[in-house]
Amino acid sequence: MSSHLFADHPAAQPPGHGSVESLISQARRLRGDVDAVRRGSQDDGTDPRGRWQRALYDLALHQLSDIDEHLAQLRDGPAPAPRPGSLLSRVGSAEWNLLTDEAEWSGELFHILGLDDTAAPLSLDELPSLVLAEDRPKLTAMVTDCLVDGRPIDGEFRVVRPDDTVRTVHMMGEPVLDADGSTASMWAVLRDVSELRRSQRAVSETRDSLRRRPLPADAGQRAAVEPREAVPPPWHGLLRFPHQGRPGLDLAAGYLPSRTHAPGCGAWYDACPLADDETLLSVGDLAGPSAEGAQGPTVLIGALRGLATAGTRPAQLPDRVDRLLEDAALPPVRSALYCGYRPHTRTLAWAPAGHPVPLLFREGMGRELAGQAGATLRAGDLLLLYTGGLAPADVRRLLCLAPRLTEVDSAQDGVRVVTEKCGEYLGQEDSCVLMARVTS
């Protein structure tokens, strides 16, 4: 399969045999150490913390075993198939020629999708027929961005095989340009990540079960002195957040479940890529938890991404989102911020739905961007978006963190400062914080 975009790069040299053997030995020693610690831990299977720890040990052992297999393939050449239950999976490849409407698939891709490798490979128009209905818009958006805007593909979707089994597939690809700079074809590699996602869900579910345990009698006293940490929200993994950042922005976010009652799964945050490197930043909460748990934020984030990708500006989002939630029989938005950031001009435009406004930290000072709907930012600026429910005194506490926040090296460090210093106030009900640091 051709890869025209990398034709000018020299081929990487394979690692030496001895260096690979050394890595294999290290991986096996670490796997043995982890297994010994796991077997030495006391767990009778009834304690929620013990179940969570066991799930983490199992995931770590799975991944270390797969690292061993990856390194063995480097040493010995491709293996015929992964071992049963491995998180390692076959990698298939494909290229779709837009000029001739021809498609070329590797045998591994037929295997991943459960298709007969003697059949003709599917065209780009036919590929969505294998995809779960609710994931088809995601695939269409990825392919359109690649073919029209030249963006690399990096995303996941679920496919339904002919035997009705559902598998999660991770797809990465790029457009291939002709001499005139036009898109001539699209190539991609696809990997079955179902087992990996299943192991990660087991860790998440046991962690959530641990959080839902009744608090001991002295929990309120200990909460006042123990530092608070942001955690992944219940819907994390259903919709991916670009933790690697966006053009001109370093991004980080966190979810703080309520200290006083069971999490309601009504708060959300998101960063959605738009055309011309623009990013839609959003954070908010619903008026009440949905009966289906994480469905509310998942539907809302999906709706926001669809509306924004279709060209809806931040100022138009509050009304459009409210109408969509009514049709979906979900709670209305209680408060939210919808912000569009354009890195080329460093301009930020937003529409509030409720009382929160963006907080800007610059040169040791913090202030609310109140009474306006746009601002021009500078390199080094730190932007903090938070969900509603905070009293004015709580916002002042956030602004008092300006000397600390303007010295952090990353958005993640900024989220850590906010949750450690103000987590007690942010956690009276489910809440989210989103930090964006202007990098250039």
Side-chain angles (χ1 to χ4, degrees):
M1 181 175 66
S2 61
S3 179
H4 303 170
L5 294 179
F6 303 105
D8 296 332
H9 294 264
Q13 296 301 310
H17 179 80
S19 61
V20 175
E21 285 288 357
S22 175
L23 291 173
I24 291 174
S25 298
Q26 293 178 48
R28 290 176 178 174
R29 281 197 301 271
L30 180 56
R31 184 181 61 188
D33 291 344
V34 172
D35 188 41
V37 173
R38 182 192 64 159
R39 286 185 281 106
S41 62
Q42 299 298 318
D43 173 27
D44 60 4
T46 60
D47 176 49
R49 178 175 291 275
R51 290 196 298 270
W52 170 69
Q53 291 175 338
R54 187 172 64 253
L56 275 176
Y57 281 131
D58 290 343
L59 177 59
L61 289 171
H62 266 304
Q63 292 175 322
L64 287 170
S65 296
D66 289 337
I67 289 174
D68 184 10
E69 290 193 29
H70 277 297
L71 294 172
Q73 287 183 26
L74 283 175
R75 181 192 61 193
D76 305 329
R83 58 180 164 78
S86 171
L87 306 187
L88 180 68
S89 61
R90 294 176 183 245
V91 176
S93 60
E95 183 162 3
W96 290 274
N97 190 309
L98 304 182
L99 304 180
T100 64
D101 203 27
E102 295 177 343
E104 179 183 347
W105 286 13
S106 69
E108 290 83 0
L109 182 53
F110 285 94
H111 174 84
I112 290 171
L113 301 179
L115 301 177
D116 185 350
D117 58 9
T118 62
L122 301 183
S123 67
L124 281 177
D125 291 333
E126 296 169 328
L127 185 62
S129 65
L130 300 177
V131 178
L132 213 60
E134 51 263 43
D135 289 359
R136 289 173 190 168
K138 185 191 307 183
L139 174 62
T140 300
M142 289 192 300
V143 172
T144 301
D145 288 345
C146 180
L147 299 181
V148 177
D149 299 325
R151 296 181 184 175
I153 288 178
D154 186 356
E156 294 182 7
F157 51 88
R158 291 163 296 174
V159 297
V160 182
R161 289 174 164 179
D163 61 1
D164 290 332
T165 58
V166 177
R167 307 295 291 179
T168 301
V169 174
H170 185 195
M171 181 177 186
M172 297 182 67
E174 291 185 358
V176 179
L177 308 181
D178 59 18
D180 298 328
S182 301
T183 302
S185 63
M186 187 189 87
W187 67 268
V189 291
L190 297 93
R191 184 165 68 101
D192 186 339
V193 294
S194 304
E195 298 302 328
L196 176 60
R197 297 294 172 256
R198 187 175 294 113
S199 292
Q200 291 173 334
R201 282 197 300 273
V203 172
S204 177
E205 289 166 0
T206 53
R207 181 192 58 221
D208 292 343
S209 173
L210 178 63
R211 292 199 192 106
R212 289 193 291 269
R213 285 188 303 168
L215 294 176
D218 65 342
Q221 298 175 351
R222 288 189 285 112
V225 297
E226 291 179 355
R228 195 84 189 279
E229 289 187 4
V231 299
W235 38 265
H236 186 261
L238 296 176
L239 294 165
R240 300 177 64 192
F241 181 81
H243 289 286
Q244 72 276 17
R246 288 285 299 144
L249 293 176
D250 173 27
L251 297 174
Y255 165 74
L256 291 162
S258 170
R259 283 186 180 275
T260 57
H261 55 272
C265 303
W268 87 86
Y269 60 79
D270 190 40
C272 173
L274 302 177
D276 299 324
D277 288 337
E278 186 176 5
T279 301
L280 173 68
L281 304 172
S282 67
V283 63
D285 51 5
L286 301 174
S290 66
E292 293 79 10
Q295 179 183 350
T298 304
V299 172
L300 190 145
I301 293 172
L304 279 175
R305 292 181 176 182
L307 290 170
T309 303
T312 305
R313 300 304 305 158
Q316 302 169 310
L317 285 172
D319 290 339
R320 297 288 299 276
V321 169
D322 286 345
R323 291 200 296 270
L324 284 172
L325 292 180
E326 286 180 7
D327 294 339
L330 291 170
V333 171
R334 178 174 63 177
S335 60
L337 270 173
Y338 309 109
C339 304
Y341 179 71
R342 293 179 172 173
H344 304 302
T345 56
R346 292 186 188 148
T347 53
L348 182 77
W350 67 87
H355 77 272
V357 296
L359 303 184
L360 176 64
F361 298 89
R362 175 187 293 169
E363 298 177 351
M365 304 292 290
R367 65 187 177 94
E368 292 183 87
L369 296 178
Q372 58 192 102
T376 300
L377 305 183
R378 303 177 189 171
D381 281 354
L382 209 62
L383 192 71
L384 174 61
L385 309 182
Y386 61 95
T387 54
L390 295 186
D394 302 329
V395 177
R396 287 195 293 272
R397 290 187 180 96
L398 289 172
L399 293 174
C400 287
L401 296 175
R404 289 279 308 277
L405 289 175
T406 52
E407 293 180 355
V408 299
D409 295 325
S410 68
Q412 188 61 57
D413 288 342
V415 169
R416 189 174 299 110
V417 169
V418 168
T419 54
E420 288 178 354
K421 298 298 182 181
C422 296
E424 179 180 354
Y425 311 103
L426 296 173
Q428 298 305 310
E429 54 189 70
D430 283 16
S431 57
C432 291
V433 293
L434 191 157
M435 192 77 73
R437 183 169 176 267
V438 180
T439 58
S440 60

